[in-house]
């Protein structure tokens, strides 16, 4: 806004702001200069706003009393991005993405994990453990490093390498467990009671972690100036994120800050949808899912052994007049590409189910054109880069313009 000109880093020649990259006189690179006098005459708080926009600004609503126990890498405070391309394509006026890929370890799991790790410090634990489909593993390993805690992780054998690599590089002891996520869940629970480790598994198992998920609701409240969305679509595994967002809004309602809680929509993959199946069949009981078959590994939770957790989620979906639906792997792959190519938001398969689900809700006429919608996108594309695009061929050339021209033709 206050840039004035470019200046050569070699001969100090001044050049006006254009598409120049090097100085014509000496061939050195260029540096951007500003009118610092004009900048200094503004209000400095406006020019350099205070940092610290993270979940702990809501510390009075989080379950850690001793501030010295707080472990933070500035999780939360993620942007609410207005859609300009996809919204037009699907005929909506007010579509937003809550971009959770911006968290320190690349997924929203940093919110629950930061709270769980801080609570472990407050409760004087030295060792933490979690079962994870990958993102909670990456996150817990990250925060355990920061907090100097020993960290054990149990993951299903098919966990994407990006997430396992994050956990290992951060120094966690990663152990793969045969079978699906519920097997890892079971063994983490057994190990934590046998060895007296704090269990920071981010399902409903650890009550503190769930509180971190509430902060998504507080942020959406602030980011929309209280004009809340009508619908919030959430990628759903066991469902603590949906539940946590609902709980956050319930608190705001209790404080008299909002009148109505947005309709919560849980989206699962067709190949693992225990909660959606119960919703579709109008049942109150959840049955564990049998044969998992989906690329959305981060939400592939069969709920075996803790089926009742899914029932808590069903209740908040119904209480909010919301909905639950599933999407196919083909729809997930399309949504991954559309988010990246039309909005510049690069996510892993599980994170794209909220947008894929939105398209299906529109098809069945559940959503009005003028309603405000938030799709939560939960995890970064680099965590599982191979899953959505396996069949792309990239040209390789000699550094000759002729070869580029050949490709362009
Ligand atoms: C964990 C996770 C979810 C699902 O969260 P739940 O709170 O278990 O329902 C969704 N997306 C991604 C990328 C995740 O890592
Ligand atoms: Zn009980």
């Amino acid at each position: 806004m206050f840039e004035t000109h470019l200046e050569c880093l070699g001969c100090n020649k001044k050049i006006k702001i254009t598409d120049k990259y090097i100085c014509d006189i000496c061939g050195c690179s260029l540096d951007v200069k500003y009118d610092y006098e004009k900048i200094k005459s503004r209000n400095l708080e406006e020019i350099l706003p205070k940092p610290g926009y993270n979940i702990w600004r809501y510390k009075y609503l989080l379950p850690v009393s001793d501030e010295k126990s707080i472990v933070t890498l500035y999780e939360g405070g993620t942007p609410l991005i207005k859609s300009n391309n996809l919204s037009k394509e699907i005929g909506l006026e007010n579509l937003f993405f809550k971009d959770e890929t911006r968290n320190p370890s690349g997924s929203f799991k940093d919110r629950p994990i930061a709270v769980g790790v801080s609570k472990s410090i407050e409760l004087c634990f030295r060792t933490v453990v979690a079962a994870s489909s990958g993102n909670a593993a990456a996150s817990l390993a990250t925060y355990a490093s920061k907090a100097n805690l020993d960290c054990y992780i149990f993951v299903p054998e098919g966990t994407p390498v990006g997430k396992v690599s994050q956990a290992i590089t951060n120094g966690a002891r990663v152990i793969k467990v045969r079978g699906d996520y519920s097997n890892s869940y079971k063994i983490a629970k057994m190990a934590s009671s046998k060895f007296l480790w704090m269990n920071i598994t981010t399902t409903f198992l650890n009550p503190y972690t769930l509180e971190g998920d509430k902060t998504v609701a507080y942020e959406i409240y602030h980011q929309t100036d209280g004009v809340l969305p009508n619908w919030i679509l959430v990628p759903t595994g066991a469902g603590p994120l949906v539940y946590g967002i609902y709980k956050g809004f319930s608190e705001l309602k209790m404080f008299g800050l909002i009148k109505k809680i947005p309709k919560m929509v849980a989206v699962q993959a067709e190949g693992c949808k225990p909660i959606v199946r119960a919703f579709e069949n109008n049942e109150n009981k959840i049955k564990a899912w049998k044969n998992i078959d989906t690329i959305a590994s981060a939400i592939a939770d069969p709920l075996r052994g803790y089926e009742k957790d899914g029932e808590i989620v069903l209740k908040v979906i119904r209480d909010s007049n919301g909905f639950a639906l599933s999407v196919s792997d083909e729809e997930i792959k399309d949504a991954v590409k559309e988010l990246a190519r039309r909005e510049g938001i690069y996510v892993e398969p599980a994170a794209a189910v909220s947008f894929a689900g939105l398209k299906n809700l529109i098809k069945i006429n559940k959503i009005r054109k003028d309603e405000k919608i938030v799709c939560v996108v939960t995890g970064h594309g680099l965590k599982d880069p191979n899953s959505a695009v396996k069949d792309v061929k990239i040209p390789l050339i000699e550094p000759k313009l002729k070869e580029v021209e050949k490709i362009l033709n």
Side-chain angles (χ1 to χ4, degrees):
M1 190 183 278
F2 295 112
E3 69 279 9
T4 52
H5 62 280
L6 302 171
E7 198 170 297
C8 174
L9 287 165
C11 70
N12 296 334
K13 182 181 156 64
K14 288 186 171 50
I15 298 164
K16 71 172 202 281
I17 303 267
T18 57
D19 60 345
K20 267 202 180 308
Y21 312 104
I22 54 167
C23 172
D24 337 318
I25 296 173
C26 72
C28 285
S29 301
L30 309 176
D31 187 32
V32 181
K33 295 294 174 192
Y34 298 85
D35 185 342
Y36 291 107
E37 285 311 311
K38 218 186 233 167
I39 293 173
K40 279 190 287 190
S41 72
R42 311 275 298 211
N43 183 351
L44 267 188
E45 267 169 44
E46 180 194 348
I47 304 278
L48 298 165
K50 282 205 183 75
Y53 189 66
N54 67 36
I55 65 167
W56 300 101
R57 70 201 218 112
Y58 307 114
K59 65 186 175 196
Y60 298 111
L61 294 165
L62 293 173
V64 180
S65 325
D66 174 14
E67 280 198 44
K68 286 198 292 300
S69 300
I70 290 174
V71 181
T72 184
L73 289 163
Y74 297 91
E75 52 290 337
T78 59
L80 187 66
I81 300 173
K82 182 152 196 203
S83 166
N84 58 327
N85 293 320
L86 288 175
S87 56
K88 258 189 227 137
E89 231 157 79
I90 61 178
L92 292 177
E93 285 156 19
N94 276 304
L95 170 61
F96 295 82
F97 300 105
K98 181 68 172 157
D99 186 3
E100 291 295 302
T101 70
R102 311 289 188 97
N103 278 294
S105 80
S107 85
F108 84 92
K109 292 292 197 305
D110 292 335
R111 297 175 189 265
I113 292 288
V115 177
V117 166
S118 300
K119 198 65 192 173
S120 307
I121 298 288
E122 190 169 73
L123 298 174
C124 300
F125 278 86
R126 295 299 322 149
T127 305
V128 292
V129 63
S132 168
S133 58
N135 282 329
S139 179
L140 182 56
T142 301
Y143 284 80
S145 296
K146 182 77 175 162
N148 284 309
L149 296 172
D150 290 329
C151 177
Y152 291 86
I153 300 284
F154 294 103
V155 292
E157 42 189 327
T159 305
V161 62
K163 304 176 187 182
V164 174
S165 163
Q166 275 183 293
I168 291 176
T169 308
N170 276 293
R173 280 286 297 279
V174 177
I175 299 162
K176 287 190 174 177
V177 183
R178 292 212 191 278
D180 60 27
Y181 172 81
S182 290
N183 280 0
S184 297
Y185 177 99
K186 186 170 109 188
I187 195 74
K189 208 168 153 193
M190 284 159 49
S192 88
S193 51
K194 166 93 183 165
F195 305 116
L196 304 178
W197 299 336
M198 177 88 160
N199 190 343
I200 310 194
T201 299
T202 59
T203 59
F204 287 86
L205 184 69
N206 184 307
Y208 304 113
T209 57
L210 206 144
E211 297 300 295
D213 293 327
K214 293 189 310 189
T215 56
V216 174
Y218 309 152
E219 288 178 13
I220 290 174
Y221 167 74
H222 279 139
Q223 289 169 316
T224 56
D225 291 322
V227 186
L228 292 183
N230 302 89
W231 300 85
I232 299 184
L233 291 95
V234 187
T236 301
L241 180 57
V242 186
Y243 180 82
I245 296 174
Y246 179 85
K247 183 174 177 183
F249 283 122
S250 312
E251 290 171 340
L252 297 178
K253 191 170 168 209
M254 190 177 63
F255 301 146
L257 294 171
I258 63 170
K259 289 210 177 68
K260 203 164 157 239
I261 295 173
K263 299 186 178 90
M264 304 297 302
V265 181
V267 190
Q268 298 197 293
E270 249 163 43
C272 184
K273 54 167 195 175
I275 295 171
V276 170
R277 179 174 57 189
F279 183 84
E280 287 170 345
N281 297 338
N282 245 320
E283 290 163 352
N284 296 320
K285 291 263 170 286
I286 301 269
K287 285 196 290 286
W289 190 260
K290 282 222 174 83
N291 297 305
I292 294 178
D293 180 17
T294 175
I295 55 166
S297 58
I299 52 170
D301 189 335
L303 298 175
R304 192 175 56 257
Y306 42 99
E307 292 83 352
K308 283 206 156 36
D309 287 354
E311 292 161 18
I312 308 170
V313 180
L314 265 183
K315 184 162 186 312
V316 302
I317 294 165
R318 287 175 177 146
D319 285 353
S320 72
N321 277 316
F323 204 72
L325 80 171
S326 62
V327 292
S328 70
D329 276 11
E330 281 315 307
E331 289 167 332
I332 295 172
K333 286 183 202 169
D334 286 345
V336 166
K337 284 187 203 160
E338 285 164 344
L339 284 169
R341 293 177 185 187
R342 308 289 287 137
E343 301 286 345
I345 302 175
Y346 178 46
V347 300
E348 65 172 293
V353 305
S354 49
F355 179 65
L358 173 62
K359 289 199 294 178
N360 289 352
L361 270 191
I362 291 172
K363 270 187 215 141
I364 58 172
N365 290 320
K366 266 274 167 195
I367 284 182
R368 281 200 330 268
K369 190 174 167 343
D370 60 330
E371 288 185 301
K372 191 187 261 189
I373 320 286
V374 171
C375 287
V376 182
V377 291
T378 40
H380 203 284
L382 286 175
K383 287 167 165 286
D384 190 8
N386 294 326
S387 59
V389 275
K390 284 213 179 80
D391 37 302
V392 186
K393 254 193 104 189
I394 302 168
L396 175 67
I397 62 167
E398 296 301 323
K400 290 179 184 147
L401 197 53
K402 234 178 31 220
E403 296 212 12
V404 178
E405 282 167 352
K406 207 157 66 190
I407 289 169
L408 295 184
N409 290 330

